[in-house]
Amino acid sequence: PRAATTDSRFFGAVVNAAKRTGKLKVFENEVMQAIVDHKWGSYARRMFYWHVMLDFTLVAALTLDAMIYRTIIYEPSDSLLVKALGRVPMILTIILWAFFTRLELKQIARANSFWAHIADFWNTVDAISLTSICATYVCKVIEWYTGATSLYWSTSFMAIALPTTYLNVLYYMQGFDGHGPLVRIIIGCVKGVRAPGIIFTICIAGFAASFFILFEGRGESTHATPITSFLFTYTVMLGGFGVDDIHGSENTIVTATLLVMFTIFTYIVMLNVLISVLSDDFDRIQENGKAEFTFARAETILEFETILTAKDRSNPEYFPAWLQVLVPTLESDDADEFEWAGRVRELKNSVKQVQRKLEESEEARKAEAKEMRRQNARLEKMLEQISKKLSVEEGQ
């Protein structure tokens, strides 16, 4: 039996410390796993599925509204039923936006700092999604009130809101046993490429500036502005260029030289560095797969605790004074460990198995040596007795 407090101040302190330091090994501890499992089973799982349903509904309503809004504005129907049904996705989106915004504001209040709150990747995605949805419908109201013929602003904000809202679905997928570890691997790898990404961006910007001045005023649409030149350089990194692209430049020799230098640097050097970084991050996250998964659930639980009522917080079934957990007295087979254990963990397990076999062999050798010493002592005693008898007989 293991006793542990489930007080959320302790729980929240552990989660925040792990998030701040990036060290998640504590969530491999049996006590923390017991606390997370209890909270998840008692109230968090029910709230999780409810929020998953609401989030999927928000995604569906926002998508449907984005698809039919232009038709409703420019091709209005005379049927009142069609008009009413056309407004349903918008109304549903606004209601769900209000719900998730309220939840987000409660989390910001708990963090006591907006900047500390959005330092988390998922909170940043939430902030962008909710802000862009709000901006979208504010622009729609202004466009409707002024009778604007262009939907430039509402469409632009909607184009930002859609991918970020879809991306937020991945946050809830972390709570599922089958998808959670994979999502954590993807997000971890995305975070790991920030430094190489900055180097890539600086490199692309530098070469893009060179291509812009080489093609400036030459009638090339791909280099009409610095932005289009930047996009052209980015497509070059992906292999999207031909020999004919250099003929319209001011100096074809310099342009060709720059292209060769750029492709060598990006294809041979930077892409291999990026692959190495991703491989290391992939192995690191897989090695700590169980801790990563438990940590993701712990973060979700903390988020849900911000909206618990006072009655729920005083519920002894949700927040008992202590837990009694039965754990196996023997270690489980390494082969049955976390499904997403990576190559590093597999190597460590192999080393552990070899070490265990060596220890067993060492114990066997020690036992054998002890038995041999015992037998030697017995033989020496017998020889001593024989020697004494021989001495007595010779004296007679």
Side-chain angles (χ1 to χ4, degrees):
R2 304 292 175 92
T5 179
T6 54
D7 182 85
S8 286
R9 286 175 295 180
F10 161 76
F11 182 70
V14 173
V15 174
N16 292 329
K19 183 189 299 186
R20 192 164 51 250
T21 61
K23 298 178 180 179
L24 307 182
K25 284 288 187 180
V26 66
F27 288 95
E28 292 184 355
N29 181 274
E30 292 175 343
V31 174
M32 289 306 302
Q33 289 182 16
I35 295 175
V36 171
D37 290 343
H38 167 75
K39 288 177 174 289
W40 184 260
S42 59
Y43 62 88
R45 181 189 287 112
R46 169 176 49 83
M47 299 176 69
F48 170 76
Y49 285 120
W50 170 246
H51 280 73
V52 167
M53 185 189 70
L54 292 179
D55 191 65
F56 273 89
T57 304
L58 173 62
V59 169
L62 184 66
T63 303
L64 183 59
D65 184 48
M67 298 302 176
I68 67 175
Y69 180 73
R70 187 178 294 273
T71 302
I72 292 175
I73 294 298
Y74 290 113
E75 300 177 13
S77 173
D78 296 330
S79 172
L80 293 177
L81 179 61
V82 173
K83 288 182 178 180
L85 292 176
R87 297 293 187 269
V88 169
M90 179 188 298
I91 295 172
L92 189 57
T93 299
I94 293 174
I95 293 173
L96 292 172
W97 170 85
F99 173 83
F100 284 109
T101 300
R102 175 174 171 269
L103 178 61
E104 201 70 17
L105 291 175
K106 284 191 173 184
Q107 293 180 44
I108 294 174
R110 187 192 66 187
N112 295 321
S113 170
F114 173 77
W115 299 111
H117 176 72
I118 65 170
D120 180 77
F121 173 80
W122 295 112
N123 292 334
T124 302
V125 173
D126 271 340
I128 296 173
S129 173
L130 295 173
T131 302
S132 55
I133 290 175
C134 179
T136 297
Y137 287 101
V138 169
C139 291
K140 284 186 176 183
V141 171
I142 295 174
E143 290 166 354
W144 172 79
Y145 183 76
T146 59
T149 57
S150 172
L151 304 179
Y152 176 82
W153 287 109
S154 63
T155 301
S156 299
F157 283 116
M158 180 65 83
I160 298 173
L162 282 169
T164 52
T165 305
Y166 272 84
L167 184 61
N168 196 47
V169 173
L170 297 180
Y171 171 77
Y172 290 102
M173 291 182 67
Q174 291 182 109
F176 294 100
D177 295 336
H179 302 91
L182 181 59
V183 174
R184 293 295 299 181
I185 288 173
I186 294 172
I187 298 304
C189 290
V190 170
K191 292 179 179 178
V193 299
R194 283 181 296 188
I198 293 173
I199 297 174
F200 262 116
T201 303
I202 294 173
C203 176
I204 294 172
F207 280 94
S210 297
F211 292 140
F212 175 71
I213 63 172
L214 285 168
F215 286 91
E216 187 179 13
R218 311 279 299 182
E220 292 288 334
S221 60
T222 54
H223 301 281
T225 65
I227 295 177
T228 56
S229 187
F230 184 89
L231 293 175
F232 166 79
T233 310
Y234 176 75
T235 58
V236 169
M237 184 183 70
L238 302 177
F241 74 97
V243 178
D244 295 336
D245 292 329
I246 67 175
H247 293 316
S249 67
E250 194 75 36
N251 189 322
T252 56
I253 296 177
V254 173
T255 304
T257 303
L258 289 174
L259 278 173
V260 171
M261 291 174 59
F262 180 71
T263 53
I264 290 175
F265 181 76
T266 54
Y267 288 164
I268 300 177
V269 180
M270 287 305 301
L271 286 180
N272 281 286
V273 170
L274 183 61
I275 291 171
S276 299
V277 170
L278 288 175
S279 179
D280 289 343
D281 288 336
F282 186 82
D283 287 337
R284 175 182 56 79
I285 297 170
Q286 281 192 317
E287 179 188 357
N288 302 316
K290 191 168 186 177
E292 292 272 354
F293 180 65
T294 306
F295 173 71
R297 278 197 169 177
E299 282 190 306
T300 305
I301 291 169
L302 276 185
E303 178 179 328
F304 292 156
E305 287 185 353
T306 61
I307 59 175
L308 287 177
T309 62
K311 181 180 179 181
D312 288 333
R313 289 184 175 278
S314 60
N315 189 339
E317 293 184 4
Y318 295 170
F319 299 92
W322 53 274
L323 294 175
Q324 186 174 15
V325 181
L326 297 178
V327 296
T329 56
L330 298 177
E331 295 184 1
S332 60
D333 189 359
D334 291 332
D336 296 331
E337 287 192 6
F338 196 68
E339 178 183 359
W340 287 89
R343 288 176 291 178
V344 176
R345 175 64 61 86
E346 183 180 355
L347 181 60
K348 288 184 176 180
N349 290 340
S350 299
V351 171
K352 286 181 181 179
Q353 290 179 355
V354 172
Q355 184 177 4
R356 188 183 299 119
K357 290 180 180 179
L358 289 175
E359 290 175 354
E360 291 173 355
S361 299
E362 183 67 21
E363 290 295 329
R365 283 195 295 271
K366 287 181 179 180
E368 185 178 352
K370 185 177 180 180
E371 177 64 20
M372 290 180 66
R373 285 195 297 270
R374 189 180 65 82
Q375 291 181 2
N376 287 337
R378 184 181 176 184
L379 289 173
E380 288 176 358
K381 187 175 181 180
M382 291 175 63
L383 288 173
E384 184 179 355
Q385 290 176 353
I386 293 171
S387 177
K388 287 180 178 181
K389 288 182 179 180
L390 289 175
S391 299
V392 171
E393 290 178 357
E394 287 177 357
Q396 292 176 355

